[in-house]
Amino acid sequence: MTIQIAAFENPRSNSDTEASAIDLRKVSVRFTTDRGTVTALENIDLSVPIGGFLTLLGPSGCGKSTLLRVIADLIAPTSGNATVLGGSPSLARARRDIGFVFQDAALLPWRTALQNVALPLEVGGISRPGRRSPAELLALVGLSGWENAYPHELSGGMRQRVAIARALVNDPRLLLMDEPFGALDEITRDRLNEELLDVWASTGTTILFVTHSIYEAAFLAERVLLLAANPGRIKEIVPVSLPSPRRIALRETTEFTKLAGRLRAILETC
Ligand SMILES: Nc1ncnc2c1ncn2[C@@H]1O[C@H](COP(=O)(O)OP(=O)(O)O)[C@@H](O)[C@H]1O
Ligand SMILES: [Mg+2]
């Protein structure tokens, strides 16, 4: 007699489908409006490994935000298939596996920094407390001592730090960032770029980051995805082999300048 021993499934890893954090197969999104039909995304095939850092770069209207929205289950593809962390985007969303950061921090003005970070733990049905408390997350983004400050007392950069801490409070396995530093001055943006890499290293979360900035795209990523517009499509995926840990001074190197030049040349054809 043979005894069959069922394999136990570890919910946090490693079935075949879960080798990737994100798997898009022929994903297309079309919007129909009074002005006609827009193909925001056409036949997108993309795979992002667990723990990866991908930046999305491309002209306005090439579908960057739409791509993040498909992954976050905010819109459904018109055709094709999206897999997030081994299941559907809606399952990932229901499990609170996804954190989202927008250009506007969108903090509640009547709540302190700490209360804003804690907000996702209070709303909705199931909540999944992360490994780090809201106070620890504020420390992680460099805001120790600012727990009780209100949004109007914080600079733009500090408000974005709060938004990042808030996005991390459920310990998401995937962090989607849509031009999060686009409205900040350059010095603040540089500093936050370095800090984000530290956050990435210490949390191990997979990050997809949308930007208009060639330098930001190159500095942060393991790979840069360049999108072209009308219809929104993948132009090229450029691997980045710059050394880690990365500090802003890296941008002065020949290696970095060459990479930025290459991205610019591709962008000009998008
Ligand atoms: N909800 C919507 N309804 C109609 N058209 C939309 C909608 N969202 C985006 N679009 C169109 O889809 C295209 C891609 O938009 P978007 O993903 O926002 O681009 P990006 O973020 O790269 O600037 C644009 O032409 C935009 O006008
Ligand atoms: Mg956008």
Side-chain angles (χ1 to χ4, degrees), residues 22 48 52-58 64-65 67-68 71 101-102 160 164 174-182 184 189 192-194 196-197 206-213 215-221 223-225 227:
I22 294 163
V48 181
F53 199 135
L54 181 82
T55 48
L56 279 66
L57 183 63
K64 302 182 294 296
S65 296
L67 189 64
L68 289 201
I71 293 164
V101 183
F102 301 93
Q160 279 313 86
I164 293 170
L174 177 61
L175 188 56
L176 305 175
M177 309 182 80
D178 196 350
E179 300 188 46
F181 308 144
L184 304 177
R189 175 190 278 218
L192 282 167
N193 277 186
E194 288 182 339
L196 181 61
L197 287 179
T206 307
I207 299 184
L208 260 70
F209 185 107
V210 170
T211 178
H212 274 127
S213 158
Y215 302 104
E216 194 170 55
F219 179 75
L220 291 171
R223 291 187 304 159
V224 181
L225 171 71
L227 290 166

Side-chain angles (χ1 to χ4, degrees), residues 102-263:
F102 301 93
Q103 181 167 335
D104 177 354
L107 304 179
L108 297 179
W110 60 87
R111 294 178 71 115
T112 64
L114 191 71
Q115 290 167 344
N116 267 287
V117 174
L119 187 67
L121 300 175
E122 298 164 22
V123 296
I126 41 155
S127 162
R128 194 181 79 199
R131 283 168 296 181
R132 293 178 171 87
S133 69
E136 286 169 322
L137 287 167
L138 278 178
L140 183 71
V141 297
L143 287 180
S144 290
W146 292 90
E147 292 82 0
N148 298 321
Y150 286 88
H152 75 270
E153 300 174 286
L154 303 173
S155 69
M158 292 162 95
R159 285 198 290 269
Q160 279 313 86
R161 288 188 176 97
V162 175
I164 293 170
R166 181 182 56 192
L168 293 171
V169 80
N170 282 313
D171 205 10
R173 299 170 68 199
L174 177 61
L175 188 56
L176 305 175
M177 309 182 80
D178 196 350
E179 300 188 46
F181 308 144
L184 304 177
D185 66 82
E186 233 174 298
I187 301 290
T188 306
R189 175 190 278 218
D190 288 354
R191 196 170 301 142
L192 282 167
N193 277 186
E194 288 182 339
E195 288 173 11
L196 181 61
L197 287 179
D198 294 341
V199 167
W200 178 52
S202 69
T203 58
T205 185
T206 307
I207 299 184
L208 260 70
F209 185 107
V210 170
T211 178
H212 274 127
S213 158
I214 291 171
Y215 302 104
E216 194 170 55
F219 179 75
L220 291 171
E222 293 182 315
R223 291 187 304 159
V224 181
L225 171 71
L226 288 119
L227 290 166
N230 299 317
R233 62 200 186 276
I234 294 181
K235 187 78 186 179
E236 204 164 327
I237 298 180
V238 177
V240 177
S241 55
L242 299 167
S244 292
R246 296 182 193 166
R247 286 293 169 249
I248 284 295
L250 176 68
R251 293 219 209 129
E252 316 297 324
T253 63
T254 319
E255 204 183 351
F256 188 91
T257 315
K258 260 175 140 170
L259 173 64
R262 182 172 168 211
L263 294 176

